[in-house]
Amino acid sequence: MNKKEKWPLSPSLESTQHASIKKQYSLFIDGEWVKPSSGVYFPSINPADESHLASIAHANEKDVHLAVQAARKAFPLWSKLPASERAKYIFRIARIMQEKARELAVIETLDGGKPIRESRDIDVPLACNHFFYYAGWADKLAYAFPNRTVEPLGVAAQIIPWNFPLLMAAWKIAPALATGNTVVLKPAESTSLTALKLAEIIEEAGLPKGVVNIITGFGDTGAAMVNHPDVNKIAFTGSTHVGKIIQKAIAGSSKKATLELGGKSANIIFDDAPIDQAVEGIVNGIFFNQGHVCCAGSRLFVQENVAEKVIRKLKLRLKSLYVGNPLDKNTDIGAINSKEQLETIESYIAIGKKEGAEIYQPTCNIPKKGYYCPPTLFINVAQSHRIVQEEIFGPVLTIQTFRTVDEVIQKANNTPYGLAAGVWTDKGSRIFNLTTKLKAGVVWANTYNKFDPTSPFGGYKESGYGREGGVHGLSAYVKLS
Amino acid sequence: MKRIEILKTYKIYIGGQFPRTESGRYYTVNNSEGKAHANVCLCSRKDVRNAVVAARKAQGAWAERSAFNRGQILYRIAEMFEGRKIQFIDELTQQGQTKKAAQAEVNMAIERLVYYAGWCDKYNQILSSVNPVSSSHFNFSSCEPMGVVGIIPDQQSPLLGLISLLAPVIAGGNTAIVLASVDYPLCAVTFAEVLHASDVPGGVVNILTGALQETAPTLSSHMDVNALVTSNLGNEVNTPLQVAAVDNLKRYFDYKQDWNNSSAQGLHFIGDLQEIKTTWHPIEQIGGATSSY
């Protein structure tokens, strides 16, 4: 065989036959599937090929009110249930999710465009484990808050984004239930399906009616949830812009909130780092889930004396990334979640070029239909460039260089965000110097984008407040006295 | 003949110095008999901004002091305070308190400082965790101070209310800008003198006097303040401050507490002003050795 001839990849498609998606989904309120009072349904689109997956109900203010009422009605019973019994319900949810894991993964990929490898190996197992982890907390809360009386807050309104639809639902619902709250959850409009499958699982698990209500819709639905007077707690994951609107809306009220917002996280490579591993870490940091990750390592800082080498290796690695059908197990970078998001990313790429940065994109065979964006590097960027300052939420990496530790700490912290950071070096004392001085809620040293139910996640500064995961994640849902 | 008293000029405390307000303005505080007692600084928005700059400058070094050292310094504040008890009791009574109530408040304020001094090198042990993640990583979460904290204490509890909010803030490695009680500002200024004599580095605590409607909005909307702590201000004052604090997503805590209560203290007052940082590092997994021997 001619050495220059490329070996084509054989497609290895995950089957969709086992995934059952209804033609139309109503709202899950008070344990029943009810039609939206507006009568309006909107389409859920597969971003990989723009095909229609299902019709989703658009909940309005009336529906939100019904859902909050149902949650309020269920609260006394649920919160007074012996904690060990509450735990058993949550364990059940975890188990049924595990049983249906493959189906959930396929639907997640169909609905959101993420590579099946990621939904199968990361999103869905983490979501199941999150329920399993918090189930066990339900009857052990006194150990989490020594010397304090622990009470649930009441009705939690939870609004989640489209980048990790099922996982975010798990992050929100599991700790809320474990601490005795009842829930009204709204998934993002472009990715409602796995949350609705979760509603079916919750139904199957036999949870008392109204403990979990799942309603679908757009920003207006979310606003009605935030502004509902009978809601005690708002949990929101999404943009910093919307987070601030929510925070203003609840100012002066007794509503408690936790906000997981945007980021522009630094990934820092020192000259003594294992370069090949670091390159993998850079790729995983920014191209995981098409870069639709609030903690994505979107600002790369490379020490000047190895910059040329790192960039050369990174470009080479980008050439081998497979962009395409998310259901293909070969795929590294799947579909951009929606047309709007693709437009946002493309507009930032245009801005980057206009600002004078040097762009690198490997040539890749992008499917004709669907929303795709090749992995993109911007080299020779300045701290003041918009592509360095603003969250793009796509597979776009900016690369800057530095000489000294102090310089890179200052540059890395020079952002209103503070969600995550990465540090790559072989020197232990330097790791701890950086991890203590970087203003970020999560710091990955010699790794990136790792998540676990036991590991608290959340930001500093304008990346929001509160933590999800671990013992610290319980605080978001309890009243202590 | 009655001795002519030496009256004190009440100043403000910024960056370890005692200037008067940059604005040159004052307001008069009367004593319990309604007579002019002191011309206190009517601080400006510029004073607030100067105080924030001083607090930010001092914050890194204060947070990097050893926890043990911060504990010693907080204890030193209590020691210095103890020696000047009479002055504080005098001031409180001049501002209308009964002698007995003043004595109780001063004693409680000192106990509270000692209580938080003891927490400095302990809270992180209680609030931290090592997280047993499923992958081969060492993962831990620990506290880090939020940074620069604005404090607007209970207006009716000018000494104890102030110390109850301030002590947990600085025990946790934050630096502070305090807006003293408008009607009863004297103790706050005298407390600054105690701080100054207690090895508290300049800028760690900054204390301003003046009108809240002028200073509080500047503090709550300042983009370089990380958190705001208030107590018993009432919704009318609180809500606009809370709205202004959203611009840089300040953490906001409003404590409804009777600070005279001996239980109005605790670990959570420190924990509220801490960020939790989680750090991951891979654990090498090569070779066949296990940890059984």
Side-chain angles (χ1 to χ4, degrees):
Chain A
M1 189 179 174
N2 186 339
K3 266 190 187 166
K4 281 185 181 164
E5 201 175 307
K6 270 195 175 172
W7 285 13
L9 279 173
S10 309
S12 172
L13 294 181
E14 178 71 40
S15 164
T16 58
Q17 281 182 347
H18 192 57
S20 82
I21 302 175
K22 286 189 217 156
K23 279 202 173 123
Q24 191 176 74
Y25 282 93
S26 294
L27 308 167
F28 185 64
I29 297 175
D30 207 11
E32 311 285 339
W33 291 91
V34 299
K35 292 204 168 354
S37 59
S38 63
V40 176
Y41 290 81
F42 61 92
S44 199
I45 304 290
N46 179 349
D49 58 10
E50 300 171 53
S51 62
H52 179 101
L53 290 169
S55 292
I56 312 286
H58 187 160
N60 65 13
E61 222 170 310
K62 262 189 192 165
D63 303 310
V64 168
H65 181 61
L66 284 177
V68 172
Q69 267 189 324
R72 172 62 57 202
K73 203 176 69 190
F75 177 66
L77 177 123
W78 181 248
S79 55
K80 300 268 154 38
L81 206 64
S84 55
E85 296 295 296
R86 229 163 49 218
K88 278 150 67 179
Y89 279 118
I90 307 168
F91 277 124
R92 267 195 200 174
I93 297 173
R95 283 312 225 187
I96 301 174
M97 283 174 77
Q98 286 175 330
E99 288 159 10
K100 300 187 173 184
R102 187 55 61 90
E103 184 190 15
L104 290 167
V106 169
I107 296 176
E108 196 73 310
T109 284
L110 283 172
D111 202 21
K114 62 174 66 202
I116 184 70
R117 250 181 21 227
E118 288 177 13
S119 39
R120 183 194 64 195
D121 298 345
I122 299 168
D123 289 60
V124 173
L126 274 176
C128 302
N129 297 357
H130 219 82
F131 276 102
F132 203 91
Y133 173 77
Y134 276 109
W137 266 122
D139 55 358
K140 299 168 192 70
L141 296 175
Y143 293 93
F145 304 102
N147 272 329
R148 319 235 35 211
T149 314
V150 188
E151 287 170 284
L153 294 170
V155 174
Q158 307 180 318
I159 301 165
I160 58 172
W162 45 260
N163 57 342
F164 295 93
L166 183 68
L167 182 58
M168 290 301 107
W171 278 26
K172 296 280 180 285
I173 297 175
L177 294 186
T179 45
N181 300 276
T182 55
V183 165
V184 179
L185 175 117
K186 185 192 92 66
E189 64 270 15
S190 66
T191 54
S192 310
L193 289 180
T194 43
L196 293 162
K197 292 301 279 187
L198 180 60
E200 292 175 359
I201 288 169
I202 285 166
E203 204 179 5
E204 188 180 331
L207 257 77
K209 286 177 179 218
V211 170
V212 177
N213 305 274
I214 295 185
I215 59 174
T216 45
F218 289 75
D220 60 324
T221 317
M225 290 165 69
V226 169
N227 294 321
H228 196 288
D230 205 23
V231 159
N232 304 100
K233 154 88 190 177
I234 318 280
F236 172 76
T237 297
S239 72
T240 292
H241 174 69
V242 175
K244 287 180 181 177
I245 294 174
I246 292 175
Q247 188 65 40
K248 279 192 179 151
I250 63 169
S253 76
S254 60
K255 288 174 191 169
K256 262 188 93 173
T258 39
L259 304 174
E260 298 282 358
L261 309 176
K264 194 75 185 175
S265 300
N267 202 0
I268 302 166
I269 318 291
F270 283 95
D271 60 1
D272 65 339
I275 298 292
D276 289 330
Q277 283 178 38
V279 167
E280 285 310 303
I282 296 166
V283 167
N284 181 45
I286 183 64
F287 302 125
F288 173 56
N289 199 31
Q290 296 74 246
H292 303 327
V293 185
C294 46
C295 53
S298 51
R299 288 186 298 150
L300 179 66
F301 292 94
V302 189
Q303 200 157 24
E304 205 170 79
N305 53 335
V306 290
E308 187 271 324
K309 186 179 173 189
V310 169
I311 293 168
R312 177 167 38 84
K313 289 196 171 213
L314 188 59
K315 284 180 175 173
L316 191 68
R317 181 69 181 90
L318 253 59
K319 283 183 186 159
S320 66
L321 290 177
Y322 190 76
V323 184
N325 186 352
L327 279 172
D328 190 333
K329 284 166 232 166
N330 295 305
T331 294
D332 299 301
I333 300 180
I336 299 302
N337 188 269
S338 65
K339 191 159 174 268
E340 294 73 43
Q341 187 56 26
L342 182 60
E343 284 165 5
T344 303
I345 297 166
E346 283 171 344
S347 78
Y348 271 110
I349 291 175
I351 290 167
K353 286 182 188 164
K354 214 174 158 193
E355 283 175 321
E358 176 192 336
I359 187 171
Y360 174 80
Q361 286 177 323
T363 42
C364 33
N365 293 322
I366 284 177
K368 292 213 166 49
K369 270 197 137 182
Y371 317 127
Y372 294 91
C373 178
T376 305
L377 306 179
F378 275 111
I379 305 157
N380 292 328
V381 295
Q383 192 75 9
S384 57
H385 283 173
R386 278 184 66 192
I387 52 168
V388 174
Q389 289 293 325
E390 297 174 21
E391 184 176 40
I392 299 173
F393 226 61
V396 182
L397 179 69
T398 63
I399 306 177
Q400 292 169 271
T401 59
F402 68 94
R403 286 185 186 174
T404 65
V405 173
D406 285 350
E407 179 192 354
V408 79
I409 290 171
Q410 281 190 7
K411 280 182 168 171
N413 284 339
N414 184 2
T415 162
Y417 294 116
L419 194 48
V423 183
W424 298 79
T425 169
D426 236 8
K427 198 171 175 195
S429 58
R430 181 179 290 161
I431 289 176
F432 284 109
N433 181 20
L434 270 113
T435 56
T436 34
K437 286 178 186 158
L438 291 170
K439 298 282 177 213
V442 182
V443 182
W444 288 289
N446 292 322
T447 183
Y448 207 96
N449 271 345
K450 295 284 180 264
F451 308 93
D452 194 275
T454 66
S455 176
F457 183 91
Y460 284 27
K461 302 195 286 186
E462 294 187 33
S463 289
Y465 55 83
R467 294 294 177 267
E468 292 182 291
V471 59
H472 298 90
L474 293 167
S475 317
Y477 290 97
V478 293
K479 186 164 72 186
L480 302 171
S481 47
Chain B
M1 199 178 106
K2 202 184 165 201
R3 181 177 170 272
I4 304 295
E5 262 187 290
I6 308 292
L7 297 176
K8 174 166 143 187
T9 297
Y10 283 85
K11 299 191 178 185
I12 55 177
Y13 189 47
I14 299 178
Q17 310 222 295
F18 288 93
R20 290 280 287 182
T21 165
E22 63 82 34
S23 68
R25 304 175 308 168
Y26 69 94
Y27 70 110
T28 304
V29 176
N30 292 342
N31 64 16
S32 53
E33 287 150 20
K35 286 192 183 148
H37 184 71
N39 293 314
V40 176
C41 292
L42 184 63
C43 281
S44 65
R45 292 175 297 182
K46 175 69 174 153
D47 289 316
V48 176
R49 293 198 297 270
N50 289 345
V52 174
V53 170
R56 174 61 66 195
K57 203 170 152 208
Q59 201 269 323
W62 179 240
E64 282 164 32
R65 292 268 176 141
S66 70
F68 180 77
N69 184 240
R70 283 205 308 273
Q72 283 188 306
I73 292 174
L74 260 82
Y75 188 76
R76 183 74 178 156
I77 302 172
E79 285 180 350
M80 292 295 103
F81 201 143
E82 182 83 24
R84 292 175 65 164
K85 267 166 83 168
I86 292 166
Q87 187 182 359
F88 282 98
I89 293 167
D90 274 355
E91 272 175 352
L92 287 172
T93 46
Q94 277 158 2
Q95 292 180 139
Q97 275 205 33
T98 64
K99 183 130 196 221
K100 204 176 157 202
Q103 274 169 339
E105 179 166 349
V106 167
N107 284 340
M108 180 81 81
I110 297 171
E111 316 298 351
R112 202 143 282 167
L113 281 164
V114 172
Y115 173 81
Y116 283 110
W119 262 125
C120 289
D121 51 4
K122 296 166 193 70
Y123 69 86
N124 204 9
Q125 286 182 309
I126 310 289
L127 299 176
S128 294
S129 61
V130 171
N131 310 309
V133 296
S134 302
S135 52
S136 179
H137 292 92
F138 186 72
N139 175 303
F140 62 96
S141 301
S142 66
C143 293
E144 240 171 49
M146 281 182 176
V148 173
V149 179
I151 299 176
I152 311 177
D154 187 334
Q155 294 292 296
Q156 302 306 317
S157 182
L159 180 65
L160 182 55
L162 187 160
I163 285 168
S164 300
L165 294 190
L166 176 68
V169 166
I170 60 172
N174 301 285
T175 55
I177 300 104
V178 184
L179 305 184
S181 168
V182 180
D183 296 335
Y184 313 106
L186 304 185
C187 291
V189 177
T190 305
F191 181 63
E193 294 156 14
V194 169
L195 292 170
H196 199 62
S198 308
D199 304 322
V200 179
V204 170
V205 182
N206 305 275
I207 299 179
L208 306 178
T209 53
L212 280 192
Q213 62 267 34
E214 225 178 329
T215 51
T218 305
L219 190 59
S220 65
S221 64
H222 198 295
M223 294 300 275
D224 205 26
V225 173
N226 299 97
L228 198 62
V229 183
T230 62
S231 176
N232 302 340
L233 296 184
N235 274 352
E236 223 167 281
V237 180
N238 240 322
T239 307
L241 295 180
Q242 233 171 312
V243 171
V246 174
D247 282 340
N248 68 336
L249 282 178
K250 271 178 208 71
R251 284 71 172 131
Y252 195 103
F253 299 93
D254 177 38
Y255 300 119
K256 293 181 179 71
Q257 284 275 351
D258 174 6
W259 299 106
N260 293 308
N261 194 324
S262 61
S263 66
Q265 57 187 24
L267 174 62
H268 55 286
F269 290 111
I270 300 176
D272 281 350
L273 279 310
Q274 299 292 313
E275 294 285 357
I276 295 297
K277 175 183 275 182
T278 299
T279 306
W280 294 68
H281 197 280
I283 301 171
E284 184 180 63
Q285 293 289 351
I286 49 171
T290 69
S291 52
S292 37
Y293 282 102

